[in-house]
């Protein structure tokens, strides 16, 4: 399938001449990264002004230091932070200085972004250092070409159990580099069948080729690993992490793998989770398992990223003592300090599973001596599957700014995963990718804002969600006031709208089981997944206070007391923490049941407003984009009503309490 | 996969000598049917007594007319009803007389059944005539080998888009003939892909071979037909039944098909239903469509069996006016008298879809000038999918004995489909088959009672469900008082138990959508299938009275008045016809809600009793059978609790009314 260039679509600049005179790029091309940096500048300037600047060695720099900007200098010099860059524009030239080639590349993309946005380049002085050491994407791509929770077509990494390396690989790497992504896991965390063989020579030529393309754009290739590989590859009878034989096997295997694929960054592992094998089978801990692998990859500078998404997925719905929300914490808290320094625990933003609203995962702030990575989901598994617009950066921002109170300051999730809180370097942020081989990469054109936004946020966590959205709109669709205003309205209202017309007050779920799309209030209520709302005639919610599962007390004060107390609990999480009567009065003065009705009507109204504003962009956006988005918005309009009516009807029928405003409920 | 002989498993007789002296079978072998009749006798007697009787022409009959029975005579003579037979045992011989070879074959199987049951053969005088002209099985087998709603493995008719003809075909034909089946549709009514080509020469050799095997056992081969075949085979642009071109196409096509497969009985058609094509596309009626095909098959004595399962499967759950239960009636009542006499309308037993309890389909008794066939489902789609025991013959009996009151007498469903009510010959009964390529044919060994029972009931509708069960147990597992008592208890209690622990009082559904297994009260409540319970805080049920959808009035009096009136409505159908408060008092004095609780606890108790009784059969049944049934009963035991707890919890949570007996509800 063909593919578009997403936010790297460059169009001619007619009203903007700040870089129009640039004819020369001065640079010493010491590696592929610098070579690619130069090419990116050439490509962009050619597209903007029709003329491609030439490359000259820096020693030949003849800049006269006055007048219009005529050249760009790429300068590698000591003293800057890794991956950081200084971008200055003065005296007729633009200089990008960095201490490593990645910094040069990021500086180049920053400059291009400014040119796309038509910003003034004179008197520029910008110092940027990435806010997090690791900025990763996790692709849940299977080797048969399918994507677990993929809503944008098939995989562009795999097809028919082969690895794909082609033009799209290059464009993908360019897109990722342009937003600062420096690590990519290409295969699904559920590693089965052929994917187990990614660490054998069956695929190493292709993986090496891919990793070299990635390397030229500053991206390390990572793979998801099958913990039981020694068994499933038929070489050993077990995978006990304390067995000498098993440890030797992994060491030998890793030598082979890293020899074959030098630009490999390491491995992501989902172990003892949802049926995946792990150290529990052998009576060992996650630390035993992770450390064994960490030793094996250490000689090659490899990282082991170990997921904390571990819970009992065969729970009895009748059991009100077991609490899935506790399980990540309970499984890992006792292991704090036991992991090697090249192990990172990857923790989902919330304790459940990427719901539209969850509290922050209680492991953040609890683990004090462990490398941590925050996992968010750009793929809209529970947030409309890229058929609904749901701009998630505001949610990610909330998570990053959440104060854990584990220490007096530097205590937010952002402080932890940036490495500031504990002075770590193996930490950062990962997003489950929302890409596929659809022409526009993300199915919904507006979902590209989540992909773009994730990278930008991980690089510059201080950016606001609105700034990021504005930036994405401008560079993708160009300079048009109405377009910018309309798309910004849609993006910024989309998460609140989705939250309003789906499950209320933090309770989550209420989706169709399995595929997770569309309303189904009782869909998970009598199932084995630990995801219940416990609604009855009088009320709804899960008691996670000290009188219930005690989950609220896993947080530091004052969070624990706030969550534990119905009166103090943030209302957007009220039903997550408490079982509440429908007649309970919220701070707005509304009852819970009236809040449910009102928000569901409001959510649909916002969607209607989005649709009517978007319609007016006809002619302003590329026709193809306009049509694709229009079709999806039409579906969202109808489907948001389905959500509204099912949720409202369910609670009306169960509570017997009518809507104060007498609107139609079925 | 290997296969067993089901109820044709013959074992040595040690205490039963009534047929032990038989050495000769006198018969004039005029066709394959008589030849097979003789073989069946030889095979059975050899298995029972170790000696195979010889065949001699009837003219050489030297029977001396006294003493022990020493011979069997098969006599074709004028004057008997088609397929009927007279079985007499006297003067040292057993005589089976019939006017056609099928009668001989059925008489032979009757005799074998008596021998299997060790019944006295002296002084026998039994006249049997089949209670219905057509006794058919409908297999929903797909050509890829899968079976729609199949719970016993894969198809034994198709695999990888090829037709299978092998030893199993012969055993299948023998099993079916032994219970009087005389027509078999081998492919799914949803005809797609390769199956559309069953009427082309691609498969005709195999189909001819199969039909000849079937023919030797008195069975006509039928096929399900794709109404849009002329289009999907790429030969015409449309399938308008009034187009001369289309009519000619079908005539030409049928000539080819019947020339290639002479023993073809005709076709079954699902048209304009659940996405299948049909005459509606061309603005024509079902009569137009069926009659066109009927004309095309008439020269070959072919039948067109047209299903009445037509409804709007894209209903809005918010819409309370549309009633799926009405749709079969509304679609066909206006066409009464318009169908050719080689067209048969095939009508499901109830207006919805094979639920554990439904009223009888209102077309029965409404259609007065149309050939009708009753369709039941031996496959346990909604009744436990052959993992739960659910002996369905009592349900089929109830349907057959239902009085429609369309005329003063001869007004039951049985009277209609037997041909007695309207003096028709193209009528009868069809069951959706519950078979597959599992060794034991039906997955659950006890589900064979439904297959066996259906055939026996269609042949002798006057048999009671208990007689049929007893017969099946005795011939399948031999003579053992405890075995017979135990299995009879299990079978006869299984439907009532299943009804008790699943959806209450005729409301139906409450299963997981799609695969239809396991409880899910709201599974279909907000979906598009027209299958709602409308439960709210105060009550449950669908108002189909004159104040609601008016469905109740589709019946003749006094049924209409009874169904229309909450007070008179049979309580097992109360929620099908009325929306009833949970506090409504039933004739037992219990409220509806208490009835729900009580029946759900009772249903589970019956299952527990089944399990504990069955355990004691260890050593009495073949070990393989014992183990298979034990495993399924263990699942049923657990799963019936799941049903009980989910249904009770749902209604407790919704109504807020506690169980009077204070039992655990979640």
């Amino acid at each position: 399938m063909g593919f578009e260039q997403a936010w790297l679509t460059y169009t001619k600049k007619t009203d903007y001449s700040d870089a129009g005179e640039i004819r020369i790029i001065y640079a010493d091309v010491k590696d592929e990264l610098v070579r690619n940096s130069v090419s990116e500048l050439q490509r962009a300037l050619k597209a903007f002004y029709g003329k491609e600047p030439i490359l000259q060695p820096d020693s030949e720099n003849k800049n006269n230091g006055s007048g219009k900007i005529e050249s760009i200098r790429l300068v590698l010099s000591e003293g800057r932070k890794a991956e950081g860059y200084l971008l200055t524009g003065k005296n007729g030239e633009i200089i990008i200085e960095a201490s490593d080639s990645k910094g040069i590349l990021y500086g180049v993309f920053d400059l291009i972004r400014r040119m796309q946005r038509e910003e003034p380049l004179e008197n520029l002085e910008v110092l940027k250092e990435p806010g997090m050491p690791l900025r990763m994407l996790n692709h849940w791509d299977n080797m048969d070409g399918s994507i677990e929770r993929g809503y944008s077509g098939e995989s562009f990494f795999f097809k028919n159990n082969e690895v794909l390396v082609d033009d799209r690989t290059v464009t993908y790497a360019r897109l990722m580099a342009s937003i600062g992504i420096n690590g990519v896991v290409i295969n699904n965390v559920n590693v089965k069948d052929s994917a187990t063989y990614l660490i054998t020579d069956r695929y190493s030529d292709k993986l090496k080729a891919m990793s070299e393309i990635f390397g030229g754009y500053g991206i390390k290739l990572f793979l998801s690993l099958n913990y039981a590989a020694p068994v499933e590859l038929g070489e050993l009878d077990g995978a006990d992490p304390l067995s000498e034989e098993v440890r030797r096997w992994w060491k030998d295997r890793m030598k082979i793998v890293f020899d074959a694929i030098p630009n490999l960054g390491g491995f992501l592992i989902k172990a003892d989770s949802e049926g995946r094998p792990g150290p529990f089978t052998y009576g060992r801990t996650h630390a035993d398992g992770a450390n064994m692998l960490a030793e094996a990859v250490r000689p090659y500078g490899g990282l082991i990223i170990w997921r904390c998404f571990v819970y009992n997925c065969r729970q009895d719905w009748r059991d009100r003592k077991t609490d899935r929300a506790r399980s990540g914490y309970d499984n890992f808290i006792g292991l704090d300090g036991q992991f090697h320094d090249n192990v990172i625990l990857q923790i989902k933003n919330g304790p459940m599973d990427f719901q539209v609203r969850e509290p922050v995962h209680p492991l953040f702030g609890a683990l004090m001596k462990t490398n941590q990575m925050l996992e968010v989901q750009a793929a809209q598994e529970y947030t409309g599957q890229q058929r609904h617009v749901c701009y998630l950066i505001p949610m990610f921002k909330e998570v990053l700014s959440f104060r854990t109170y584990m220490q007096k300051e530097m205590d937010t999730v952002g402080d932890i995963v940036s490495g500031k809180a504990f002075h770590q370097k193996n930490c950062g942020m990962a997003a489950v990718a929302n890409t596929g081989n659809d022409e526009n990469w993300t199915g919904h054109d507006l979902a590209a804002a989540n992909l773009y936004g994730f990278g930008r946020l991980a690089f510059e966590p201080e950016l606001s969600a609105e700034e990021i959205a504005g930036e994405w709109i401008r560079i993708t669709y160009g300079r048009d006031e109405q377009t910018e205003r309309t798309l910004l309205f849609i993006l910024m209202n989309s998460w609140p709208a989705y939250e309003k017309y789906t499950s209320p007050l933090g309770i989550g779920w209420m989706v169709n089981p399995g595929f997770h799309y569309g309303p189904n209030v009782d869909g998970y209520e009598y199932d084995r997944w630990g995801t219940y709302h416990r609604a009855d005639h009088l009320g709804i919610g899960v008691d996670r206070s000290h009188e219930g599962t005690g989950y609220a007390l896993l947080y530091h004060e004052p969070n624990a007391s706030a969550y534990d107390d119905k009166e103090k609990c943030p209302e957007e999480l009220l039903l997550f923490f408490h079982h509440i009567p429908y007649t309970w009065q919220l701070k707005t003065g509304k009852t819970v049941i009236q809040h449910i009705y009102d928000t569901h009507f409001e959510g649909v109204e916002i969607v209607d407003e989005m649709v009517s504003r978007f319609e007016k962009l006809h002619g302003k956006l590329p026709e193809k984009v306009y049509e694709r988005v229009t079709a999806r918005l039409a579906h969202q309009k109808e489907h948001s009503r389905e959500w509204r009516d099912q949720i409202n009807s369910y609670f009306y029928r169960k509570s017997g309490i009518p809507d104060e405003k007498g609107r139609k409920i079925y």
Side-chain angles (χ1 to χ4, degrees), chain A residues 190-197 199-200 202 225-239 249-250 275-278 282:
Chain A
N190 293 313
V191 185
K192 294 175 195 170
D193 310 320
S194 301
T196 303
Y197 289 80
I199 54 167
T200 68
R202 188 189 289 181
L225 199 66
N226 184 340
Y227 184 82
V231 181
E232 292 187 26
L233 294 175
E235 302 195 5
L236 298 182
D237 292 332
W249 187 91
W250 278 112
R276 294 286 75 211
Y282 307 96

Side-chain angles (χ1 to χ4, degrees), chain A residues 626-644:
Chain A
Y626 182 82
E627 281 174 11
R628 287 190 300 229
V629 175
T630 297
R632 291 188 189 231
L633 282 176
H635 170 75
Q636 182 176 5
K637 183 168 171 148
E638 188 195 330
H639 201 239
S640 63
R641 284 167 167 69
E642 193 62 33
W643 269 101
R644 177 194 69 190

